[in-house]
Amino acid sequence: MDGGEQGRTVNCQLGLALFLSGEEGQVPVDWRLHLPERWAGDAEARRRARIPEETRPQALWALAVDLVDGLAAQPGLVRAPVVADLTGVTDVRPLIERLHGRGHGFVLAVSGQLPLTPAPEPYAGRAQREPLPRLSARQLLLRGGIRHPDVAVTPGPDGRPRRIQVISSLAEIPGLRPGCGRVSSAGRVFAEWDPVRKLLGRVWLTNLPERRMADLLALASLHTGTLATVSALGEHYGLLDFEGRSFPGWHRHMTLVSAAHAYGLLSRPVPHRRPDREAA
């Protein structure tokens, strides 16, 4: 990690976390520590850090898939859509392909330059179903996107739902072709639209094209809550205080941080609700 603000190089661990979102907030439920390639063949470094023999370096996208698959395998849990910010990831295709191919719904923030293939309308004639040229996600929205002029989203500071404009377009999921196995390649790309300044907001890609736009925006908004939770974990629960040098020690620390945060949420006083007025 380059500590530009500190004028020096800062050594740190790079971890991934999986959060569950609910009415009480976002709770971290699993963690993965990214193991750099240079550790793979260094037996002495592995011994000092107590890295298990079976643990091998994995790409970040592979760690993310492991997190999602691990939670989905838990008995009694209903699969929920995966929400993540991939705008800073160089190659998002492996993660998108595997999430989609394994049946995980997702709403992912992606770069506006992500190449996408426009999807033909479901009832388009054969001539319109010919392969279409690839466009960037931004081009796809600006050239042929559908305007949603009055979409209600999460309440603002006054408690009332905000209403915004959105542009969306059907798109093929990258790396998958229509009819690939049993998985449909249908997807949708969407972004908030500022009609005054003619600007697009953050671009999102989903493989849940049948969902209402208000529902998709509600899912996308969960990312903001997760960022706030990460900040709270660092400020109040010791997320950044790990000073050990061992692989199992890092995981124990993250487990304690997560448990402390969950306890903090559960021990908060329940807001008092005034009973409903009896009918006359």
Side-chain angles (χ1 to χ4, degrees), residues 44-85:
E44 179 58 22
R46 293 178 67 98
R47 185 192 64 79
R48 290 200 307 268
R50 296 165 58 196
I51 300 173
E53 180 63 29
E54 64 275 11
T55 300
R56 290 289 179 265
Q58 289 182 281
L60 290 174
W61 64 261
L63 293 175
V65 172
D66 282 348
L67 285 169
V68 175
D69 283 346
L71 183 63
Q74 297 296 319
L77 287 181
V78 178
R79 284 197 179 192
V82 178
V83 180
D85 182 0

mmCIF file of all heavy atoms in Angstrom, residues 44-85:
data_model
loop_
_atom_site.group_PDB
_atom_site.id
_atom_site.type_symbol
_atom_site.label_atom_id
_atom_site.label_comp_id
_atom_site.label_asym_id
_atom_site.label_seq_id
_atom_site.Cartn_x
_atom_site.Cartn_y
_atom_site.Cartn_z
ATOM 1 N N GLU A 44 9.738 -20.301 4.627
ATOM 2 C CA GLU A 44 10.053 -19.692 5.912
ATOM 3 C C GLU A 44 9.033 -18.615 6.274
ATOM 4 O O GLU A 44 8.586 -18.513 7.421
ATOM 5 C CB GLU A 44 11.459 -19.099 5.879
ATOM 6 C CG GLU A 44 11.889 -18.401 7.165
ATOM 7 C CD GLU A 44 11.851 -19.320 8.380
ATOM 8 O OE1 GLU A 44 11.902 -20.558 8.212
ATOM 9 O OE2 GLU A 44 11.772 -18.787 9.511
ATOM 10 N N ALA A 45 8.669 -17.798 5.262
ATOM 11 C CA ALA A 45 7.669 -16.752 5.517
ATOM 12 C C ALA A 45 6.327 -17.370 5.902
ATOM 13 O O ALA A 45 5.637 -16.889 6.805
ATOM 14 C CB ALA A 45 7.510 -15.867 4.279
ATOM 15 N N ARG A 46 5.951 -18.439 5.232
ATOM 16 C CA ARG A 46 4.703 -19.129 5.551
ATOM 17 C C ARG A 46 4.749 -19.707 6.972
ATOM 18 O O ARG A 46 3.756 -19.662 7.702
ATOM 19 C CB ARG A 46 4.430 -20.232 4.529
ATOM 20 C CG ARG A 46 4.136 -19.736 3.117
ATOM 21 C CD ARG A 46 3.917 -20.923 2.174
ATOM 22 N NE ARG A 46 2.706 -21.641 2.534
ATOM 23 C CZ ARG A 46 1.527 -21.465 1.925
ATOM 24 N NH1 ARG A 46 1.399 -20.597 0.949
ATOM 25 N NH2 ARG A 46 0.475 -22.166 2.320
ATOM 26 N N ARG A 47 5.896 -20.242 7.358
ATOM 27 C CA ARG A 47 6.010 -20.809 8.692
ATOM 28 C C ARG A 47 5.873 -19.733 9.755
ATOM 29 O O ARG A 47 5.157 -19.920 10.747
ATOM 30 C CB ARG A 47 7.358 -21.520 8.834
ATOM 31 C CG ARG A 47 7.536 -22.264 10.161
ATOM 32 C CD ARG A 47 8.979 -22.688 10.368
ATOM 33 N NE ARG A 47 9.875 -21.536 10.476
ATOM 34 C CZ ARG A 47 10.018 -20.805 11.589
ATOM 35 N NH1 ARG A 47 9.314 -21.103 12.680
ATOM 36 N NH2 ARG A 47 10.856 -19.788 11.611
ATOM 37 N N ARG A 48 6.558 -18.595 9.537
ATOM 38 C CA ARG A 48 6.483 -17.516 10.527
ATOM 39 C C ARG A 48 5.074 -16.962 10.647
ATOM 40 O O ARG A 48 4.638 -16.602 11.743
ATOM 41 C CB ARG A 48 7.462 -16.394 10.142
ATOM 42 C CG ARG A 48 8.932 -16.754 10.300
ATOM 43 C CD ARG A 48 9.770 -15.485 10.369
ATOM 44 N NE ARG A 48 9.503 -14.607 9.233
ATOM 45 C CZ ARG A 48 10.183 -14.613 8.103
ATOM 46 N NH1 ARG A 48 11.193 -15.474 7.949
ATOM 47 N NH2 ARG A 48 9.896 -13.778 7.123
ATOM 48 N N ALA A 49 4.378 -16.868 9.538
ATOM 49 C CA ALA A 49 3.017 -16.324 9.550
ATOM 50 C C ALA A 49 1.964 -17.384 9.859
ATOM 51 O O ALA A 49 0.779 -17.069 9.908
ATOM 52 C CB ALA A 49 2.696 -15.664 8.203
ATOM 53 N N ARG A 50 2.401 -18.637 10.039
ATOM 54 C CA ARG A 50 1.509 -19.749 10.357
ATOM 55 C C ARG A 50 0.389 -19.877 9.327
ATOM 56 O O ARG A 50 -0.776 -20.001 9.655
ATOM 57 C CB ARG A 50 0.935 -19.568 11.762
ATOM 58 C CG ARG A 50 2.020 -19.621 12.850
ATOM 59 C CD ARG A 50 1.508 -19.075 14.160
ATOM 60 N NE ARG A 50 0.332 -19.821 14.613
ATOM 61 C CZ ARG A 50 -0.507 -19.375 15.566
ATOM 62 N NH1 ARG A 50 -0.275 -18.187 16.121
ATOM 63 N NH2 ARG A 50 -1.538 -20.107 15.932
ATOM 64 N N ILE A 51 0.797 -19.845 8.063
ATOM 65 C CA ILE A 51 -0.167 -20.012 6.978
ATOM 66 C C ILE A 51 -0.390 -21.499 6.742
ATOM 67 O O ILE A 51 0.570 -22.246 6.525
ATOM 68 C CB ILE A 51 0.349 -19.348 5.684
ATOM 69 C CG1 ILE A 51 0.560 -17.848 5.917
ATOM 70 C CG2 ILE A 51 -0.613 -19.584 4.528
ATOM 71 C CD1 ILE A 51 1.213 -17.143 4.753
ATOM 72 N N PRO A 52 -1.631 -21.976 6.787
ATOM 73 C CA PRO A 52 -1.902 -23.409 6.601
ATOM 74 C C PRO A 52 -1.369 -23.920 5.270
ATOM 75 O O PRO A 52 -1.328 -23.196 4.273
ATOM 76 C CB PRO A 52 -3.431 -23.491 6.656
ATOM 77 C CG PRO A 52 -3.849 -22.278 7.428
ATOM 78 C CD PRO A 52 -2.858 -21.211 7.066
ATOM 79 N N GLU A 53 -0.950 -25.167 5.266
ATOM 80 C CA GLU A 53 -0.366 -25.774 4.074
ATOM 81 C C GLU A 53 -1.329 -25.735 2.904
ATOM 82 O O GLU A 53 -0.927 -25.545 1.751
ATOM 83 C CB GLU A 53 0.027 -27.228 4.379
ATOM 84 C CG GLU A 53 0.661 -27.966 3.205
ATOM 85 C CD GLU A 53 1.985 -27.355 2.759
ATOM 86 O OE1 GLU A 53 2.673 -26.769 3.614
ATOM 87 O OE2 GLU A 53 2.301 -27.471 1.563
ATOM 88 N N GLU A 54 -2.629 -25.935 3.171
ATOM 89 C CA GLU A 54 -3.608 -26.001 2.076
ATOM 90 C C GLU A 54 -4.005 -24.630 1.528
ATOM 91 O O GLU A 54 -4.694 -24.538 0.511
ATOM 92 C CB GLU A 54 -4.874 -26.724 2.542
ATOM 93 C CG GLU A 54 -5.653 -26.028 3.645
ATOM 94 C CD GLU A 54 -5.145 -26.341 5.039
ATOM 95 O OE1 GLU A 54 -4.045 -26.948 5.142
ATOM 96 O OE2 GLU A 54 -5.827 -25.990 6.016
ATOM 97 N N THR A 55 -3.566 -23.557 2.180
ATOM 98 C CA THR A 55 -3.915 -22.211 1.733
ATOM 99 C C THR A 55 -2.961 -21.770 0.635
ATOM 100 O O THR A 55 -1.742 -21.772 0.813
ATOM 101 C CB THR A 55 -3.853 -21.213 2.903
ATOM 102 O OG1 THR A 55 -4.770 -21.634 3.913
ATOM 103 C CG2 THR A 55 -4.222 -19.820 2.427
ATOM 104 N N ARG A 56 -3.523 -21.399 -0.491
ATOM 105 C CA ARG A 56 -2.743 -20.962 -1.636
ATOM 106 C C ARG A 56 -3.203 -19.579 -2.097
ATOM 107 O O ARG A 56 -4.352 -19.201 -1.854
ATOM 108 C CB ARG A 56 -2.889 -21.959 -2.791
ATOM 109 C CG ARG A 56 -2.195 -23.308 -2.519
ATOM 110 C CD ARG A 56 -0.683 -23.119 -2.561
ATOM 111 N NE ARG A 56 0.046 -24.353 -2.299
ATOM 112 C CZ ARG A 56 0.512 -24.710 -1.113
ATOM 113 N NH1 ARG A 56 0.275 -23.931 -0.068
ATOM 114 N NH2 ARG A 56 1.189 -25.825 -0.963
ATOM 115 N N PRO A 57 -2.336 -18.826 -2.760
ATOM 116 C CA PRO A 57 -2.745 -17.511 -3.260
ATOM 117 C C PRO A 57 -3.920 -17.618 -4.225
ATOM 118 O O PRO A 57 -3.984 -18.534 -5.049
ATOM 119 C CB PRO A 57 -1.485 -17.005 -3.982
ATOM 120 C CG PRO A 57 -0.361 -17.759 -3.360
ATOM 121 C CD PRO A 57 -0.917 -19.111 -3.039
ATOM 122 N N GLN A 58 -4.868 -16.709 -4.111
ATOM 123 C CA GLN A 58 -6.020 -16.643 -4.992
ATOM 124 C C GLN A 58 -6.232 -15.212 -5.439
ATOM 125 O O GLN A 58 -5.927 -14.260 -4.714
ATOM 126 C CB GLN A 58 -7.289 -17.127 -4.276
ATOM 127 C CG GLN A 58 -7.358 -18.617 -4.012
ATOM 128 C CD GLN A 58 -8.667 -18.987 -3.336
ATOM 129 O OE1 GLN A 58 -8.834 -18.800 -2.132
ATOM 130 N NE2 GLN A 58 -9.609 -19.491 -4.125
ATOM 131 N N ALA A 59 -6.774 -15.061 -6.644
ATOM 132 C CA ALA A 59 -7.137 -13.732 -7.125
ATOM 133 C C ALA A 59 -8.261 -13.179 -6.251
ATOM 134 O O ALA A 59 -9.019 -13.933 -5.627
ATOM 135 C CB ALA A 59 -7.578 -13.809 -8.582
ATOM 136 N N LEU A 60 -8.383 -11.858 -6.221
ATOM 137 C CA LEU A 60 -9.419 -11.239 -5.402
ATOM 138 C C LEU A 60 -10.811 -11.703 -5.812
ATOM 139 O O LEU A 60 -11.685 -11.924 -4.964
ATOM 140 C CB LEU A 60 -9.306 -9.713 -5.499
ATOM 141 C CG LEU A 60 -8.079 -9.092 -4.824
ATOM 142 C CD1 LEU A 60 -8.016 -7.601 -5.110
ATOM 143 C CD2 LEU A 60 -8.102 -9.349 -3.324
ATOM 144 N N TRP A 61 -11.038 -11.862 -7.128
ATOM 145 C CA TRP A 61 -12.365 -12.285 -7.574
ATOM 146 C C TRP A 61 -12.674 -13.698 -7.062
ATOM 147 O O TRP A 61 -13.821 -14.003 -6.726
ATOM 148 C CB TRP A 61 -12.490 -12.225 -9.098
ATOM 149 C CG TRP A 61 -11.595 -13.150 -9.873
ATOM 150 C CD1 TRP A 61 -10.414 -12.837 -10.466
ATOM 151 C CD2 TRP A 61 -11.832 -14.543 -10.142
ATOM 152 N NE1 TRP A 61 -9.880 -13.937 -11.082
ATOM 153 C CE2 TRP A 61 -10.738 -14.996 -10.904
ATOM 154 C CE3 TRP A 61 -12.843 -15.435 -9.810
ATOM 155 C CZ2 TRP A 61 -10.636 -16.326 -11.335
ATOM 156 C CZ3 TRP A 61 -12.751 -16.749 -10.245
ATOM 157 C CH2 TRP A 61 -11.655 -17.183 -10.993
ATOM 158 N N ALA A 62 -11.651 -14.560 -6.997
ATOM 159 C CA ALA A 62 -11.860 -15.926 -6.506
ATOM 160 C C ALA A 62 -12.200 -15.926 -5.015
ATOM 161 O O ALA A 62 -13.051 -16.706 -4.556
ATOM 162 C CB ALA A 62 -10.629 -16.777 -6.771
ATOM 163 N N LEU A 63 -11.550 -15.053 -4.243
ATOM 164 C CA LEU A 63 -11.880 -14.937 -2.829
ATOM 165 C C LEU A 63 -13.314 -14.464 -2.647
ATOM 166 O O LEU A 63 -14.041 -14.945 -1.760
ATOM 167 C CB LEU A 63 -10.916 -13.968 -2.142
ATOM 168 C CG LEU A 63 -9.451 -14.403 -2.028
ATOM 169 C CD1 LEU A 63 -8.612 -13.268 -1.434
ATOM 170 C CD2 LEU A 63 -9.326 -15.660 -1.165
ATOM 171 N N ALA A 64 -13.732 -13.505 -3.490
ATOM 172 C CA ALA A 64 -15.098 -12.989 -3.407
ATOM 173 C C ALA A 64 -16.116 -14.082 -3.709
ATOM 174 O O ALA A 64 -17.137 -14.212 -3.028
ATOM 175 C CB ALA A 64 -15.275 -11.815 -4.364
ATOM 176 N N VAL A 65 -15.847 -14.892 -4.727
ATOM 177 C CA VAL A 65 -16.749 -15.995 -5.066
ATOM 178 C C VAL A 65 -16.810 -17.002 -3.924
ATOM 179 O O VAL A 65 -17.892 -17.521 -3.585
ATOM 180 C CB VAL A 65 -16.313 -16.673 -6.380
ATOM 181 C CG1 VAL A 65 -17.137 -17.938 -6.631
ATOM 182 C CG2 VAL A 65 -16.476 -15.721 -7.563
ATOM 183 N N ASP A 66 -15.665 -17.297 -3.292
ATOM 184 C CA ASP A 66 -15.643 -18.214 -2.161
ATOM 185 C C ASP A 66 -16.529 -17.708 -1.019
ATOM 186 O O ASP A 66 -17.244 -18.484 -0.361
ATOM 187 C CB ASP A 66 -14.212 -18.395 -1.652
ATOM 188 C CG ASP A 66 -13.400 -19.338 -2.527
ATOM 189 O OD1 ASP A 66 -13.994 -20.014 -3.387
ATOM 190 O OD2 ASP A 66 -12.168 -19.397 -2.351
ATOM 191 N N LEU A 67 -16.455 -16.407 -0.755
ATOM 192 C CA LEU A 67 -17.282 -15.829 0.296
ATOM 193 C C LEU A 67 -18.763 -16.026 0.007
ATOM 194 O O LEU A 67 -19.541 -16.444 0.868
ATOM 195 C CB LEU A 67 -16.969 -14.334 0.450
ATOM 196 C CG LEU A 67 -15.670 -13.953 1.155
ATOM 197 C CD1 LEU A 67 -15.392 -12.464 0.989
ATOM 198 C CD2 LEU A 67 -15.738 -14.313 2.630
ATOM 199 N N VAL A 68 -19.165 -15.710 -1.231
ATOM 200 C CA VAL A 68 -20.582 -15.810 -1.605
ATOM 201 C C VAL A 68 -21.040 -17.264 -1.601
ATOM 202 O O VAL A 68 -22.106 -17.599 -1.071
ATOM 203 C CB VAL A 68 -20.816 -15.167 -2.984
ATOM 204 C CG1 VAL A 68 -22.262 -15.374 -3.441
ATOM 205 C CG2 VAL A 68 -20.497 -13.678 -2.940
ATOM 206 N N ASP A 69 -20.243 -18.150 -2.182
ATOM 207 C CA ASP A 69 -20.607 -19.569 -2.220
ATOM 208 C C ASP A 69 -20.705 -20.154 -0.809
ATOM 209 O O ASP A 69 -21.583 -20.975 -0.515
ATOM 210 C CB ASP A 69 -19.584 -20.362 -3.026
ATOM 211 C CG ASP A 69 -19.757 -20.186 -4.525
ATOM 212 O OD1 ASP A 69 -20.809 -19.671 -4.944
ATOM 213 O OD2 ASP A 69 -18.837 -20.557 -5.279
ATOM 214 N N GLY A 70 -19.779 -19.741 0.064
ATOM 215 C CA GLY A 70 -19.797 -20.261 1.425
ATOM 216 C C GLY A 70 -21.066 -19.890 2.171
ATOM 217 O O GLY A 70 -21.645 -20.708 2.891
ATOM 218 N N LEU A 71 -21.515 -18.639 1.998
ATOM 219 C CA LEU A 71 -22.743 -18.217 2.663
ATOM 220 C C LEU A 71 -23.955 -18.913 2.048
ATOM 221 O O LEU A 71 -24.864 -19.354 2.760
ATOM 222 C CB LEU A 71 -22.900 -16.702 2.559
ATOM 223 C CG LEU A 71 -24.114 -16.121 3.275
ATOM 224 C CD1 LEU A 71 -24.031 -16.354 4.779
ATOM 225 C CD2 LEU A 71 -24.261 -14.634 2.982
ATOM 226 N N ALA A 72 -23.965 -19.032 0.714
ATOM 227 C CA ALA A 72 -25.103 -19.654 0.043
ATOM 228 C C ALA A 72 -25.264 -21.113 0.433
ATOM 229 O O ALA A 72 -26.373 -21.664 0.371
ATOM 230 C CB ALA A 72 -24.940 -19.537 -1.470
ATOM 231 N N ALA A 73 -24.170 -21.751 0.844
ATOM 232 C CA ALA A 73 -24.222 -23.167 1.210
ATOM 233 C C ALA A 73 -24.771 -23.392 2.610
ATOM 234 O O ALA A 73 -25.037 -24.546 2.987
ATOM 235 C CB ALA A 73 -22.825 -23.784 1.097
ATOM 236 N N GLN A 74 -24.946 -22.327 3.387
ATOM 237 C CA GLN A 74 -25.459 -22.485 4.740
ATOM 238 C C GLN A 74 -26.921 -22.911 4.706
ATOM 239 O O GLN A 74 -27.731 -22.317 4.001
ATOM 240 C CB GLN A 74 -25.329 -21.172 5.520
ATOM 241 C CG GLN A 74 -23.905 -20.702 5.721
ATOM 242 C CD GLN A 74 -23.101 -21.659 6.573
ATOM 243 O OE1 GLN A 74 -23.583 -22.191 7.561
ATOM 244 N NE2 GLN A 74 -21.856 -21.883 6.185
ATOM 245 N N PRO A 75 -27.300 -23.943 5.450
ATOM 246 C CA PRO A 75 -28.691 -24.414 5.427
ATOM 247 C C PRO A 75 -29.648 -23.388 6.020
ATOM 248 O O PRO A 75 -29.324 -22.701 7.004
ATOM 249 C CB PRO A 75 -28.641 -25.682 6.283
ATOM 250 C CG PRO A 75 -27.446 -25.507 7.169
ATOM 251 C CD PRO A 75 -26.451 -24.739 6.354
ATOM 252 N N GLY A 76 -30.800 -23.257 5.402
ATOM 253 C CA GLY A 76 -31.842 -22.387 5.931
ATOM 254 C C GLY A 76 -31.754 -20.941 5.502
ATOM 255 O O GLY A 76 -32.639 -20.144 5.826
ATOM 256 N N LEU A 77 -30.711 -20.563 4.792
ATOM 257 C CA LEU A 77 -30.568 -19.177 4.355
ATOM 258 C C LEU A 77 -31.138 -18.998 2.954
ATOM 259 O O LEU A 77 -30.917 -19.836 2.067
ATOM 260 C CB LEU A 77 -29.101 -18.751 4.363
ATOM 261 C CG LEU A 77 -28.457 -18.522 5.732
ATOM 262 C CD1 LEU A 77 -27.008 -18.088 5.550
ATOM 263 C CD2 LEU A 77 -29.214 -17.456 6.513
ATOM 264 N N VAL A 78 -31.870 -17.917 2.759
ATOM 265 C CA VAL A 78 -32.411 -17.581 1.448
ATOM 266 C C VAL A 78 -31.360 -16.768 0.696
ATOM 267 O O VAL A 78 -30.785 -15.827 1.244
ATOM 268 C CB VAL A 78 -33.713 -16.772 1.577
ATOM 269 C CG1 VAL A 78 -34.239 -16.384 0.199
ATOM 270 C CG2 VAL A 78 -34.759 -17.569 2.340
ATOM 271 N N ARG A 79 -31.103 -17.140 -0.542
ATOM 272 C CA ARG A 79 -30.111 -16.404 -1.326
ATOM 273 C C ARG A 79 -30.566 -14.968 -1.544
ATOM 274 O O ARG A 79 -31.692 -14.718 -1.963
ATOM 275 C CB ARG A 79 -29.903 -17.067 -2.681
ATOM 276 C CG ARG A 79 -29.063 -18.327 -2.634
ATOM 277 C CD ARG A 79 -28.570 -18.690 -4.021
ATOM 278 N NE ARG A 79 -27.744 -19.883 -4.009
ATOM 279 C CZ ARG A 79 -27.009 -20.273 -5.036
ATOM 280 N NH1 ARG A 79 -27.017 -19.568 -6.157
ATOM 281 N NH2 ARG A 79 -26.274 -21.364 -4.965
ATOM 282 N N ALA A 80 -29.671 -14.045 -1.267
ATOM 283 C CA ALA A 80 -29.949 -12.628 -1.481
ATOM 284 C C ALA A 80 -29.029 -12.109 -2.577
ATOM 285 O O ALA A 80 -27.929 -12.637 -2.778
ATOM 286 C CB ALA A 80 -29.723 -11.842 -0.190
ATOM 287 N N PRO A 81 -29.435 -11.077 -3.307
ATOM 288 C CA PRO A 81 -28.566 -10.525 -4.344
ATOM 289 C C PRO A 81 -27.255 -10.005 -3.771
ATOM 290 O O PRO A 81 -27.207 -9.495 -2.648
ATOM 291 C CB PRO A 81 -29.407 -9.376 -4.932
ATOM 292 C CG PRO A 81 -30.821 -9.728 -4.607
ATOM 293 C CD PRO A 81 -30.755 -10.430 -3.281
ATOM 294 N N VAL A 82 -26.198 -10.139 -4.540
ATOM 295 C CA VAL A 82 -24.877 -9.647 -4.155
ATOM 296 C C VAL A 82 -24.752 -8.204 -4.628
ATOM 297 O O VAL A 82 -24.961 -7.911 -5.810
ATOM 298 C CB VAL A 82 -23.768 -10.507 -4.785
ATOM 299 C CG1 VAL A 82 -22.389 -9.950 -4.424
ATOM 300 C CG2 VAL A 82 -23.896 -11.963 -4.350
ATOM 301 N N VAL A 83 -24.403 -7.316 -3.714
ATOM 302 C CA VAL A 83 -24.190 -5.903 -4.042
ATOM 303 C C VAL A 83 -22.730 -5.575 -3.773
ATOM 304 O O VAL A 83 -22.223 -5.846 -2.678
ATOM 305 C CB VAL A 83 -25.101 -4.988 -3.202
ATOM 306 C CG1 VAL A 83 -24.854 -3.516 -3.551
ATOM 307 C CG2 VAL A 83 -26.567 -5.349 -3.408
ATOM 308 N N ALA A 84 -22.034 -5.028 -4.770
ATOM 309 C CA ALA A 84 -20.609 -4.733 -4.603
ATOM 310 C C ALA A 84 -20.203 -3.612 -5.536
ATOM 311 O O ALA A 84 -20.839 -3.371 -6.568
ATOM 312 C CB ALA A 84 -19.764 -5.983 -4.876
ATOM 313 N N ASP A 85 -19.129 -2.932 -5.176
ATOM 314 C CA ASP A 85 -18.547 -1.867 -5.995
ATOM 315 C C ASP A 85 -17.310 -2.416 -6.704
ATOM 316 O O ASP A 85 -16.307 -2.708 -6.053
ATOM 317 C CB ASP A 85 -18.182 -0.669 -5.123
ATOM 318 C CG ASP A 85 -17.614 0.497 -5.934
ATOM 319 O OD1 ASP A 85 -17.515 0.374 -7.173
ATOM 320 O OD2 ASP A 85 -17.291 1.523 -5.326
#
